[in-house]
Amino acid sequence: LTYRFRGKLNDVEKQADHKLFTRCHASYLVNLQYVKALGKGKIVLSDNSSIPISRNKLEGTQEAFMNYKGSLRI
């Protein structure tokens, strides 16, 4: 699901639950529930679309994804 709005993504990011959302690129805030896989420089979503991961956000994105996946284990 895509939302379009006029405002600052930084403001949305501050309000988002950091256990469920990660900022992978200056233009993208991703809900980790819909991440199927991390590829080379991209996130593959459950609908098979992809979103770029910027170089400076790669490590944080990988860490957020692993933390999210780890938190799902019982």
Side-chain angles (χ1 to χ4, degrees):
L1 185 58
T2 302
Y3 290 99
R4 295 185 186 266
F5 71 100
R6 294 184 64 78
K8 295 181 182 178
L9 195 52
N10 284 338
D11 295 338
V12 175
E13 181 182 16
K14 288 176 188 174
Q15 295 176 7
D17 182 348
H18 292 283
K19 293 177 185 174
L20 291 177
F21 290 86
T22 189
R23 184 87 176 259
C24 64
H25 187 278
S27 302
Y28 296 95
L29 183 65
V30 177
N31 185 333
L32 294 167
Q33 295 178 62
Y34 297 99
V35 174
K36 183 165 123 178
L38 294 181
K40 187 174 182 177
K42 67 180 179 179
I43 291 175
V44 180
L45 299 176
S46 56
D47 67 355
N48 290 321
S49 62
S50 63
I51 294 174
I53 304 173
S54 64
R55 279 180 265 163
N56 64 336
K57 301 277 188 186
L58 180 60
E59 188 175 324
T61 300
Q62 290 171 332
E63 185 176 327
F65 183 63
M66 295 308 290
N67 288 339
Y68 174 74
K69 286 296 190 182
S71 72
L72 295 178
R73 293 191 178 125
I74 297 174

